Amino acid sequence: MSILCGCSQSYRWNQSHPSYKKAPEGSIAVTGLDEAFVVTRSSWFAKKLEISKDSIQTFTSNFCSKAFLEELRKAYASVTVIPDAAINHFPEESQKLDSRIFMKGHLPEQGVVVKDSSGNVPPYILIIHEFILGTDLQREDFYDYALIHNEAPEKKTSKNLSAIVSYTLWDNEKQRPLYSAVNQVDQPNVKLSLADITQIVASSVKQIKRNLTAGVQ
Amino acid sequence: MKRFILAILIFACSIFADNVFFHNHWTLWKDADVLIWSTDKSPALDPKEFCLSLKRNNMGIGEPKCRLAGEWERDSIAVLYAGWLLANMDNNVKPEHLRARHPAMVTRIQSVEDKLVLFIGNRDGEIYAATFDENSAEPVAAGSFSNTGDKIALGDKIAAAFFDGHTTRRLSKAERAKRMTEPDESYKEIPGFQGWAGIAVGYSQAQIPLTPDNWYSSHTRSRVRNYRITKDSASLWNFIEDSDPQMALYAGGTWYGFIGAELMYRYAYHKVKTDDQDTIYQELSYWGFHQHEVGINVVLSRTYTYTKWFKTTPFAFIGFQYSFFVEDIGLKDDKKPHSKAYDVRIKFEDSYKGALVGIGNHFIFFKHYGLGVRAGISSRGRNIEEDPSPDAAAEPTTIGSSTIDCFINLGLEYHFSM
């Protein structure tokens, strides 16, 4: 079968736990925002945004993180931010989404609940593993294990601004991944400005919320 | 038999009364070493009683040893996982959803060697149970059982749900070490060869079993008038009888116990189906054709050994063959002048080329003496080595270009191996 499909590969980009019965509404906790954001083609971004090459990663990371949180606050009434340090010390693990699609990330240990800064136990934690911002990106190039080591010629096209985000909705009470997915958003690139980046991060957050609802079993 | 039905009934009842979430195939050791792992203050199972339950439930389990998994109960990582496992066991989960993720826990599970770990936990008054073996970090079986407080009854239920079925003897350390150093048959420099030769009798007919009569009736009912006239000449069964006994000689062999080749020769005699109402045949004494066929088959087979002196080798074959039909005709009185139609009677092609396909089985007794049975379908067609002539359309069709029959035969064989 896989031989027949070899030419036109189609992937499954999400995975739900059989016990995922209800999507979070109203309140959610989020973690991973400190270190998840990565910019590819940083010099191109630096040039377009007129920021020095040395600080482009830090700048966009902070900028996107803020935009992400802002949009998330619009989608959920109460958003709790948990610092990356709360889960970064757990070992990094792979989650399998499809026969060739694996996403990596830190997940809390079995039997250990994650507490927020005020000591409460949020029922759901949205763990953002990786948020890649770039131009004309394809998510299979990053997550299909058969393709990730390909040394493709460096792409210099910039028709679209792309954002790829891998995330897990974590059931903090029973310590299990309820929903894991890799999303991709493409946005036509006219003339890059900070507003474009805000917009793509916002549409990414909207897509995450849509998928969390659609993923309910 | 009664005991068997009872066992099935008990098993069925236990499934309905309680809830087995999944039960994958796993190796149940004879004289099993069962570790009962629980984080409850007083485990719902009593090791001694559980051992007796195992023996009652499965006669083949031998002398099991049951004890509490003290080391697991004291380990903090195992305690965390036990709590998690108990909270997450549910009707809709698959084994992979219960996989242990902590590396230390994975190592712990994979180092049980050939012991069996039975996890028992009490959640909301229900008893949840899961079993682990060394092959993966996830439970191989899990289920929930109603808690009546009766340890013996619970032990019986768990034993019936998870510890049923065939048991395997554990190899000793020395046996295992020896097994490790044994060479792998598949990597031998000279492949193992198993050969056979046989003589068989059989039967063939045009109609393939389970297919409708009317596919063949135009051929099998056809009669030959005036030494050559039939309705249709595509199949030789228009001219000669199709259902006749046959004899076969064959010899072949397989390499690696899997792939092989076989040469064969088959003989049959077919009478011509002369039309009784045609008076021209009054001069005829006998008329028939000797059918000689030689061919070569590719054989795919696998051998199953049951006892020291008996094994069977089911096989499938596909091959090609050449068929020769040698005419055998005689008149009542050779001296009298015969009819003109006799001189221009039907002639078959010099040879036909065809294919055959089928399945069979060798039953081998005492390594050498075999009984072989096989059945298949064979065809005879035009000899395609000849180029078609430019005015092929104008030529009459080749006589017997589509002659198909099926056959079955039973042979006496001699087997040998090198």
Side-chain angles (χ1 to χ4, degrees):
Chain A
M1 194 63 195
S2 62
I3 294 168
L4 292 178
C5 301
C7 301
S8 59
Q9 180 68 256
S10 73
Y11 300 105
R12 183 184 160 84
W13 288 105
N14 53 59
Q15 196 67 256
S16 298
H17 193 279
S19 303
Y20 182 35
K21 299 290 179 207
K22 196 172 150 290
E25 280 170 41
S27 78
I28 197 165
V30 64
T31 185
L33 295 183
D34 303 343
E35 288 174 16
F37 296 93
V38 177
V39 175
T40 65
R41 291 190 71 189
S42 50
S43 46
W44 183 85
F45 275 89
K47 201 175 146 199
K48 290 277 176 183
L49 297 174
E50 293 170 353
I51 294 167
S52 93
K53 262 190 201 176
D54 297 338
S55 57
I56 182 74
Q57 288 287 1
T58 339
F59 174 82
T60 43
S61 180
N62 285 338
F63 182 82
C64 291
S65 169
K66 265 185 207 131
F68 191 95
L69 202 56
E70 210 167 281
E71 187 61 30
L72 202 64
R73 290 213 159 103
K74 284 183 205 162
Y76 294 94
S78 130
V79 176
T80 315
V81 181
I82 294 172
D84 285 17
I87 61 157
N88 265 1
H89 62 277
F90 294 115
E92 196 175 40
E93 291 174 46
S94 285
Q95 291 186 72
K96 185 179 178 179
L97 301 185
D98 199 1
S99 57
R100 277 161 54 176
I101 303 292
F102 293 85
M103 57 182 245
K104 270 190 171 180
H106 300 273
L107 296 175
E109 198 181 318
Q110 288 164 327
V112 176
V113 292
V114 176
K115 289 177 182 169
D116 65 12
S117 48
S118 47
N120 299 320
V121 178
Y124 297 107
I125 304 177
L126 179 64
I127 304 172
I128 308 296
H129 301 300
E130 213 169 12
F131 192 111
I132 306 165
L133 192 64
T135 58
D136 296 334
L137 300 179
Q138 290 301 325
R139 50 188 165 175
E140 49 268 32
D141 295 338
F142 294 88
Y143 292 96
D144 182 338
Y145 76 78
L147 301 179
I148 49 176
H149 298 298
N150 281 3
E151 290 190 28
E154 204 184 334
K155 273 188 198 166
K156 291 290 183 191
T157 61
S158 48
K159 280 182 204 149
N160 284 311
L161 194 62
S162 331
I164 296 169
V165 56
S166 63
Y167 59 95
T168 298
L169 181 68
W170 186 253
D171 180 344
N172 196 21
E173 283 159 354
K174 289 196 167 180
Q175 300 96 40
R176 56 192 178 188
L178 291 177
Y179 181 80
S180 304
V182 177
N183 286 2
Q184 179 180 342
V185 183
D186 292 309
Q187 177 179 306
N189 176 32
V190 189
K191 185 183 174 299
L192 186 71
S193 68
L194 286 175
D196 291 329
I197 295 180
T198 314
Q199 199 189 337
I200 197 166
V201 171
S203 32
S204 182
V205 173
K206 281 185 191 126
Q207 198 186 35
I208 290 174
K209 190 177 183 194
R210 267 202 310 279
N211 285 9
L212 288 182
T213 316
V216 169
Q217 293 290 297
Chain B
M1 193 64 197
K2 264 183 192 168
R3 184 187 289 271
F4 181 65
I5 291 170
L6 198 70
I8 287 179
L9 277 178
I10 290 171
F11 185 65
C13 288
S14 69
I15 279 184
F16 288 121
D18 301 300
N19 206 345
V20 174
F21 305 150
F22 52 84
H23 189 178
N24 294 344
H25 176 77
W26 58 311
T27 310
L28 184 57
W29 299 114
K30 189 167 180 285
D31 305 327
D33 219 342
V34 183
L35 294 180
I36 296 171
W37 175 34
S38 178
T39 48
D40 298 337
K41 270 180 194 154
S42 60
L45 275 186
D46 181 74
K48 269 185 199 157
E49 289 299 338
F50 185 63
C51 252
L52 295 173
S53 296
L54 286 178
K55 280 209 258 183
R56 269 197 300 278
N57 171 68
N58 193 340
M59 303 282 279
I61 207 156
E63 287 295 326
K65 288 189 281 296
C66 307
R67 58 191 169 89
L68 292 175
E71 200 191 332
W72 290 50
E73 286 170 13
R74 288 188 295 274
D75 182 80
S76 62
I77 292 166
V79 168
L80 280 179
Y81 176 64
W84 179 88
L85 181 66
L86 186 57
N88 275 280
M89 270 202 268
D90 228 330
N91 210 355
N92 55 4
V93 294
K94 291 190 187 124
E96 62 260 31
H97 295 121
L98 298 178
R99 187 170 54 88
R101 287 175 27 230
H102 197 291
M105 192 63 216
V106 174
T107 317
R108 179 170 287 282
I109 295 173
Q110 287 171 350
S111 61
V112 299
E113 287 201 341
D114 28 37
K115 296 185 197 71
L116 303 168
V117 176
L118 173 66
F119 171 79
I120 290 287
N122 187 336
R123 185 177 100 199
D124 308 330
E126 282 271 291
I127 301 295
Y128 286 79
T131 55
F132 294 87
D133 68 5
E134 61 172 337
N135 293 319
S136 68
E138 55 198 40
V140 285
S144 71
F145 302 87
S146 52
N147 185 14
T148 51
D150 183 348
K151 289 188 179 185
I152 298 172
L154 179 68
D156 282 343
K157 280 194 283 190
I158 291 175
F162 296 155
F163 293 85
D164 231 34
H166 180 71
T167 55
T168 311
R169 189 179 69 89
R170 280 198 293 181
L171 297 181
S172 70
K173 281 232 164 77
E175 281 174 313
R176 236 173 295 176
K178 183 174 179 295
R179 181 68 66 89
M180 292 290 281
T181 57
E182 272 177 11
D184 189 325
E185 288 277 305
S186 308
Y187 289 94
K188 273 201 280 190
E189 278 185 32
I190 302 162
F193 176 83
Q194 285 170 322
W196 64 83
I199 179 164
V201 290
Y203 179 79
S204 68
Q205 65 174 33
Q207 187 184 359
I208 296 160
L210 307 176
T211 55
D213 277 3
N214 58 10
W215 289 8
Y216 313 93
S217 55
S218 71
H219 300 314
T220 53
R221 284 193 201 152
S222 162
R223 288 286 176 273
V224 183
R225 282 189 294 115
N226 208 27
Y227 284 105
R228 64 174 299 122
I229 301 166
T230 56
K231 254 193 238 168
D232 158 27
S233 64
S235 168
L236 290 181
W237 309 134
N238 286 306
F239 302 96
I240 55 181
E241 294 282 356
D242 63 292
S243 43
D244 281 308
Q246 63 170 220
M247 192 273 287
L249 295 171
Y250 52 89
T254 55
W255 288 270
Y256 296 108
F258 160 61
I259 189 159
E262 185 184 58
L263 287 166
M264 56 120 199
Y265 163 78
R266 298 197 298 181
Y267 168 79
Y269 181 76
H270 301 288
K271 272 188 183 163
V272 175
K273 301 188 288 187
T274 50
D275 192 341
D276 297 337
Q277 286 161 2
D278 197 334
T279 50
I280 198 163
Y281 294 128
Q282 281 170 358
E283 61 183 7
L284 188 67
S285 169
Y286 55 89
W287 189 17
F289 284 86
H290 299 282
Q291 178 191 6
H292 302 277
E293 289 183 326
V294 289
I296 186 163
N297 293 326
V298 173
V299 182
L300 296 174
S301 69
R302 174 147 189 205
T303 301
Y304 298 91
T305 306
Y306 298 101
T307 64
K308 243 181 182 175
W309 52 271
F310 177 62
K311 57 187 178 180
T312 67
T313 308
F315 61 94
F317 60 91
I318 184 165
F320 70 91
Q321 61 179 1
Y322 283 97
S323 304
F324 307 93
F325 288 87
V326 180
E327 191 183 38
D328 182 24
I329 189 165
L331 294 171
K332 275 178 187 153
D333 190 349
D334 285 342
K335 282 161 195 146
K336 269 191 188 173
H338 47 258
S339 63
K340 227 174 195 171
Y342 173 86
D343 291 330
V344 291
R345 66 183 183 275
I346 184 78
K347 288 270 184 304
F348 292 168
E349 297 281 310
D350 291 341
S351 72
Y352 294 94
K353 194 174 177 182
L356 71 167
V357 59
I359 53 169
N361 200 345
H362 302 296
F363 299 92
I364 305 161
F365 302 90
F366 301 104
K367 283 186 184 168
H368 295 298
Y369 308 102
L371 210 58
V373 59
R374 69 177 69 200
I377 296 172
S378 61
S379 76
R380 288 136 210 101
R382 209 160 68 85
N383 199 341
I384 52 166
E385 257 100 75
E386 283 169 42
D387 289 334
S389 68
D391 50 354
E395 274 183 43
T397 43
T398 310
I399 291 168
S401 62
S402 165
T403 306
I404 299 169
D405 68 354
C406 65
F407 61 91
I408 180 161
N409 59 40
L410 180 72
L412 292 173
E413 296 169 350
Y414 183 78
H415 290 258
F416 56 96
S417 56
M418 285 181 204

